[in-house]
Amino acid sequence: MTDTQAHILVVDDDPRLRGLLQKFLTRSGFMVSGARDAAHARNLLLSLEVDLIVLDVMMPGEDGLTLTASLRDTMTTPILLLTARGDAEDRIRGLEAGADDYLGKPFEPRELLLRINAILRRVPKPAPRGEPPRTLHLGAMRYDMGRGELWRGPEMVRLTATEATLMRMLAARPHEPVSRQELVEDLGGGIAEAQERAIDVQITRLRRKLEDDPRAPRYLQTVRGSGYMLAPD
């Protein structure tokens, strides 16, 4: 758990499941709000600040994947998708849409709790006051290692919790390859089920934010047979 009580938004069109999740997460120490569909969730997010969204994929109207991709245009709040679909391709689609994790129904409540806490642990924490800045330069971009922030000029680039964790891990070992397996293990329950292919998806998303030409990466390189490497200036 975080030092302060985290606020979770549960979005599910099934009122029974939504209610059960709200009760379970409240008993587990979270503040919890509920939304019956994507439109309701959008309205709540206009006035609520939440730390994580638990979102059902199969909803009438706007589904969870579409809502996830749309929210990623404006916010970095971690998203955990729930779905009755369990195959790897659907998990990959969820990650490509911008989700931080993906849990198939039916699931054990304890596993949901473990995944939520794993995601919240990956959310970057502010650097302690007085800590000297440690910055990596990547062309027009700069990465503040202490704060876990990526900047392009005066504008901060939004990173999801998973993207921020990948940047932190790669920035800690600049010019040194980090294997896919190491990345999977360090990310833990967040995307471990999808294994190495899920890492490739997240790296592709991160490259779109880092590189002028993601198809010919200069700063986030693939090292054949070894994994990925951050190569700052």
Side-chain angles (χ1 to χ4, degrees):
M1 266 300 292
T2 55
D3 293 335
T4 57
Q5 191 177 33
H7 188 178
I8 297 177
L9 175 62
V10 176
V11 188
D12 198 305
D13 64 301
D14 182 340
R16 178 179 174 277
L17 179 58
R18 187 172 68 246
L20 288 172
L21 288 177
Q22 287 183 257
K23 289 179 182 177
F24 171 72
L25 293 173
T26 298
R27 289 198 304 268
S28 299
F30 297 101
M31 292 176 57
V32 187
S33 299
R36 60 185 173 273
D37 55 24
H40 189 195
R42 287 181 186 280
N43 286 334
L44 289 177
L45 289 170
L46 292 175
S47 56
L48 288 180
E49 288 191 12
V50 302
D51 299 288
L52 184 141
I53 301 170
V54 176
L55 174 60
D56 186 33
V57 169
M58 300 297 289
M59 295 187 297
E62 185 178 11
D63 66 24
L65 292 179
T66 305
L67 178 60
T68 296
S70 176
L71 292 177
R72 279 292 169 257
D73 291 335
T74 58
M75 63 193 303
T76 60
T77 304
I79 297 173
L80 170 70
L81 292 178
L82 302 178
T83 180
R85 298 174 176 176
D87 63 69
E89 197 58 42
D90 284 320
R91 292 198 297 271
I92 294 299
R93 288 182 60 216
L95 296 172
E96 288 175 333
D100 293 271
D101 197 0
Y102 202 94
L103 186 58
K105 297 178 181 178
F107 55 85
E108 287 290 332
R110 286 188 304 169
E111 181 178 5
L112 174 64
L113 184 60
L114 287 171
R115 287 172 177 265
I116 286 173
N117 283 324
I119 292 173
L120 291 175
R121 284 195 298 270
R122 298 204 301 269
V123 176
K125 304 296 188 298
R129 296 182 69 177
E131 180 177 305
R134 295 177 296 154
T135 303
L136 295 180
H137 294 275
L138 306 105
M141 314 288 289
R142 69 183 189 279
Y143 178 65
D144 184 325
M145 296 177 65
R147 295 183 177 275
E149 294 173 350
L150 183 66
W151 293 80
R152 181 184 291 276
E155 306 249 334
M156 188 168 75
V157 178
R158 295 187 184 95
L159 296 175
T160 67
T162 301
E163 291 164 354
T165 300
L166 285 173
M167 274 299 296
R168 175 181 55 77
M169 293 159 60
L170 293 165
R173 294 161 59 180
H175 302 288
E176 178 184 339
V178 183
S179 72
R180 289 179 175 85
Q181 189 57 42
E182 285 181 87
L183 296 174
V184 168
E185 290 173 358
D186 283 356
L187 283 167
I191 56 175
E193 279 191 7
Q195 297 297 326
E196 295 181 4
R197 188 178 172 195
I199 292 292
D200 295 339
V201 172
Q202 297 290 357
I203 290 289
T204 297
R205 290 181 55 84
L206 188 53
R207 275 182 177 148
R208 291 176 189 149
K209 299 179 179 181
L210 275 177
E211 305 281 357
D212 291 330
D213 182 1
R215 293 171 297 181
R218 159 67 180 84
Y219 299 105
L220 182 45
Q221 301 177 5
T222 300
V223 181
R224 189 177 299 276
S226 298
Y228 294 105
M229 179 178 74
L230 194 67
D233 295 325

